[in-house]
Amino acid sequence: MHKTLLKTYTYALFSLMVAHAVAAETPWPQKPIRIIVAFPPSGFVDIGTRIIAPYLNTALGQQVVVDNRGRAGGVVGTELAARAAPDGYTFTVGSVGTHAVNQTLYRNLPYHVLRDFQAVMRLADAPSLLAVHPSLPARNVKELIALAQQQPKNILYASSGSGTSTHLAAVLFESMAKVRFVHVPFKGGVAMIVAVVAGQAPVTFGTAATVSPHVRSGRERGLAVTGSKRAGILPDTPTIAEAGVPGYEMLNWLGLFAPTQTPRAIVDRLSGELLKILRTTDVRDKLNAAGAEPSAVATDEFAVFVKGEVEKWAKVVAATGMTVD
């Protein structure tokens, strides 16, 4: 009896070892790869992902499919990615909203950023642009602050959804400038811009990629960018820190994440290919045109960065008392 069990166990162990050896020798990838974007098309996360995806097609020899799953401030699509099999065929491009802010903003977040994801590569960084409808009598940041102080909780601002970077940029501004607006969340960046251009919600902290064309056309007025330095796409526009709120900084970033337990060999291969892609002039030019710059921060350093972002925004959320059910 014991000999039979021992033989069975030995055979099972041997079979498992063989299976792992075969898997290790099988080149990756062998089929199309899905990158989940947890937001609707045409926003900054979607645009940045679609700039990079075709180059991955060529580098990996497999089709890279961008799958938009935009609902609930990025929570639905991000949860889908967290629950995916860690086999190297499902990834997600996350942002400061999905992979930093939401961790403490949502009371019952169905995933944990640091537990359920493995950082692969920080892809790009971009500032947002504080812009207003031309009908609003504020031509600079100080005038906007003064107007908000005169009309507390009376000025509407549009975001692309609760917990998104467009939302949190405004929350940080309110906290540091000591003003209060009224938040009007929309389903994605396109709906947000339509509302601002129409004057329905006259203030926004939209990404430079989505807002700057409307500023150039005169349908919106750009007041300041949210980064620590002026944006290449808007060199004459001051930062919010320069314009009246010292110390203010809100940076949109994009990063590729894999479900935790994805083999490190796959993560390293993908990180290496992305590093080469992000260093090309062609990709840099396309990201610059979209109001962003390639960051190319690899796996381990990116993981440390994400942990720091989670901690940073946890303090902001706690200070404002803001939560989403």
Side-chain angles (χ1 to χ4, degrees), residues 26-35 56-57 60-65 85-91 266:
T26 302
W28 173 89
Q30 292 292 306
K31 60 181 181 179
I33 295 166
R34 177 172 63 152
I35 299 180
L56 274 178
N57 286 346
L60 299 176
Q62 287 287 346
Q63 184 180 12
V64 176
V65 180
D87 57 5
Y89 292 99
T90 300
F91 299 87
I266 291 177

Side-chain angles (χ1 to χ4, degrees), residues 233-266:
I233 195 172
L234 295 164
D236 297 327
T237 303
T239 67
I240 290 177
E242 288 178 314
V245 187
Y248 182 97
E249 180 185 5
M250 167 67 184
L251 186 68
N252 297 310
W253 50 264
L254 301 184
L256 190 71
F257 293 86
T260 192
Q261 302 304 318
T262 299
R264 182 63 189 240
I266 291 177

Side-chain angles (χ1 to χ4, degrees), residues 191-237:
M192 175 192 74
I193 292 299
V194 169
V196 177
V197 169
Q200 297 171 353
V203 178
T204 189
F205 288 76
T207 57
T210 55
V211 178
S212 57
H214 302 286
V215 170
R216 287 193 290 269
S217 70
R219 289 178 290 182
E220 293 183 38
R221 179 186 301 131
L223 302 187
V225 295
T226 64
S228 60
K229 60 182 181 180
R230 297 192 180 197
I233 195 172
L234 295 164
D236 297 327
T237 303

Side-chain angles (χ1 to χ4, degrees), residues 54-130:
Y55 296 89
L56 274 178
N57 286 346
T58 302
L60 299 176
Q62 287 287 346
Q63 184 180 12
V64 176
V65 180
V66 178
D67 183 6
N68 293 89
R69 297 296 184 101
R71 283 179 57 199
V75 172
V76 172
T78 306
E79 181 188 10
L80 181 64
R83 303 289 173 255
D87 57 5
Y89 292 99
T90 300
F91 299 87
T92 186
V93 171
S95 65
V96 63
T98 59
H99 283 74
V101 177
N102 285 357
Q103 189 58 54
T104 46
L105 178 66
Y106 283 80
R107 290 180 179 176
N108 300 300
L109 193 67
Y111 62 88
H112 192 287
V113 169
L114 304 179
R115 182 193 64 217
D116 295 333
F117 288 99
Q118 183 170 356
V120 179
M121 173 72 71
R122 181 169 148 202
L123 302 170
D125 301 327
S128 289
L129 175 63
L130 168 55

Side-chain angles (χ1 to χ4, degrees), residues 83-321:
R83 303 289 173 255
D87 57 5
Y89 292 99
T90 300
F91 299 87
T92 186
V93 171
S95 65
V96 63
T98 59
H99 283 74
V101 177
N102 285 357
Q103 189 58 54
T104 46
L105 178 66
Y106 283 80
R107 290 180 179 176
N108 300 300
L109 193 67
Y111 62 88
H112 192 287
V113 169
L114 304 179
R115 182 193 64 217
D116 295 333
F117 288 99
Q118 183 170 356
V120 179
M121 173 72 71
R122 181 169 148 202
L123 302 170
D125 301 327
S128 289
L129 175 63
L130 168 55
V132 301
H133 189 268
S135 64
L136 197 72
R139 304 195 69 84
N140 55 54
V141 170
K142 289 183 178 179
E143 289 182 5
L144 178 62
I145 292 172
L147 188 64
Q149 290 171 340
Q150 294 165 12
Q151 304 177 31
K153 298 184 180 181
N154 194 40
I155 299 175
L156 306 183
Y157 78 88
S159 82
S160 56
S162 295
T164 62
S165 61
T166 57
H167 178 201
L168 271 297
V171 169
L172 185 61
F173 183 88
E174 289 177 301
S175 174
M176 296 184 68
K178 296 179 172 54
V179 296
R180 290 298 300 274
F181 300 128
V182 177
H183 180 210
V184 184
F186 289 87
K187 294 182 178 179
V190 174
M192 175 192 74
I193 292 299
V194 169
V196 177
V197 169
Q200 297 171 353
V203 178
T204 189
F205 288 76
T207 57
T210 55
V211 178
S212 57
H214 302 286
V215 170
R216 287 193 290 269
S217 70
R219 289 178 290 182
E220 293 183 38
R221 179 186 301 131
L223 302 187
V225 295
T226 64
S228 60
K229 60 182 181 180
R230 297 192 180 197
I233 195 172
L234 295 164
D236 297 327
T237 303
T239 67
I240 290 177
E242 288 178 314
V245 187
Y248 182 97
E249 180 185 5
M250 167 67 184
L251 186 68
N252 297 310
W253 50 264
L254 301 184
L256 190 71
F257 293 86
T260 192
Q261 302 304 318
T262 299
R264 182 63 189 240
I266 291 177
V267 171
D268 288 345
R269 165 81 191 285
L270 189 54
S271 179
E273 296 295 350
L274 284 167
L275 187 61
K276 289 184 284 188
I277 290 168
L278 291 169
R279 286 176 173 171
T280 64
T281 302
D282 194 29
V283 169
R284 176 177 289 277
D285 289 346
K286 288 178 180 178
L287 287 171
N288 288 166
E293 294 185 0
S295 47
V297 177
T299 304
D300 295 332
E301 186 180 350
F302 181 36
V304 172
F305 171 81
V306 172
K307 185 174 184 296
E309 285 286 275
V310 170
E311 294 170 352
K312 168 187 172 179
W313 286 103
K315 294 175 182 177
V316 174
V317 171
T320 59

